[in-house]
Amino acid sequence: MNIAIDGPAGAGKSTIAKLVAKELGFIYVDTGAMYRSIALYLINNQIDISDVNLVSECISPISIEIKYENDIQQIYLNGDNVTSRLREESVGNMASKSSALPCVRAKLLDLQRQLANDYNVVMDGRDIGTNILPNAELKIYLTASSKVRANRRYDELVLKGDNPDIDKIEQDIITRDKQDMEREIAPLKQAEDAVFIDSSDMSIDEVVKVIINYARRR
């Protein structure tokens, strides 16, 4: 069984998907982390993403692995654990841009579909139900207001000891939404057969319960 969870940045997709997968005993496939890994590689190597041929050539040999260590997901890029860097704002912004490139999407598409073919999976991203797993048994479109998403991100950064500007965070989220929805390749949108969930006024546990209930009816 495949469960696809799509939605904009900061909607809580990863957190929700991990909990749903754990409850059902499924494999959680973090597609966002895969795209962020490539974005991190592009940043570290100062690769100009406007040069599509260069990007395609540079990412061709990249290795991205998802491992579980003490039940915690770890992402390895070319053998290095990069998990702690994937939530950086610069990486997220680069991922929003670079994920629109056909060569980047092609790099990851086969791996994602193979995992879904081999295992019961919960997969979250921007275009899982519309593009990557169009035949998923359950599709969810998870969202929340930009203000709520900004507040959640603000709280995360404060806990890490940062002193973020909440207005800038919200503006970045709005900008990323626009980029994701208007990109030419596989834009962010709700699949016609997806269940719409607005989590603005819901707790994490409430959202998880709703999705579990839908999954068990399939």
Side-chain angles (χ1 to χ4, degrees):
M1 180 178 182
N2 296 165
I3 299 177
I5 302 180
D6 290 312
K13 299 185 301 295
S14 296
T15 299
I16 299 300
K18 289 173 187 175
L19 292 171
V20 169
K22 184 175 182 180
E23 177 72 19
L24 294 173
F26 286 14
I27 299 293
Y28 168 60
V29 180
D30 188 346
T31 62
M34 292 179 172
Y35 282 108
R36 283 171 179 263
S37 296
I38 289 184
L40 178 61
Y41 178 85
L42 296 174
I43 291 172
N44 286 346
N45 292 277
Q46 299 182 323
I47 297 170
D48 181 2
I49 66 168
S50 67
D51 188 337
V52 178
N53 290 332
L54 176 62
V55 173
S56 181
E57 179 182 345
C58 290
I59 68 173
S60 179
I62 288 178
S63 166
I64 299 173
E65 299 175 277
I66 298 178
K67 299 181 181 180
Y68 282 85
E69 299 171 2
N70 298 320
D71 291 328
I72 297 176
Q73 179 182 267
Q74 304 293 329
I75 308 296
Y76 283 79
L77 172 63
N78 293 333
D80 295 326
N81 189 330
V82 296
T83 309
S84 63
R85 292 203 57 195
L86 299 185
R87 300 302 298 176
E88 293 176 7
E89 289 296 313
S90 60
V91 175
N93 290 332
M94 174 61 81
S96 181
K97 298 172 184 175
S98 60
S99 63
L101 300 177
C103 60
V104 172
R105 307 196 70 78
K107 172 71 179 176
L108 298 177
L109 183 59
D110 288 344
L111 174 59
Q112 293 162 355
R113 285 182 172 168
Q114 189 60 51
L115 286 169
N117 185 65
D118 293 343
Y119 304 99
N120 293 319
V121 303
V122 180
M123 196 177 294
D124 73 291
R126 302 289 193 278
D127 65 335
I128 309 303
T130 55
N131 182 54
I132 297 175
L133 301 178
N135 297 316
E137 286 81 359
L138 174 60
K139 300 176 187 178
I140 302 292
Y141 188 85
L142 179 65
T143 190
S145 70
S146 61
K147 184 176 182 60
V148 168
R149 287 184 280 146
N151 283 330
R152 291 172 180 170
R153 183 60 179 154
Y154 176 86
D155 291 341
E156 287 179 7
L157 293 171
V158 168
L159 284 174
K160 293 180 179 179
D162 295 341
N163 184 28
D165 180 338
I166 192 165
D167 291 330
K168 184 179 185 304
I169 292 174
E170 183 173 11
Q171 187 54 54
D172 285 345
I173 285 174
I174 292 171
T175 299
R176 286 185 62 190
D177 285 353
K178 181 176 172 60
Q179 290 174 344
D180 290 341
M181 291 177 179
E182 295 182 353
R183 69 190 185 196
E184 185 175 349
I185 304 297
L188 167 65
K189 63 180 180 180
Q190 181 180 346
E192 291 183 2
D193 53 347
V195 176
F196 180 87
I197 300 177
D198 185 332
S199 68
S200 298
D201 298 315
M202 298 174 69
S203 68
I204 290 173
D205 287 344
E206 287 172 335
V207 177
V208 170
K209 287 178 182 177
V210 168
I211 295 175
I212 293 294
N213 286 336
Y214 276 107
R216 287 177 171 159
R217 286 190 226 141
R218 291 301 192 266

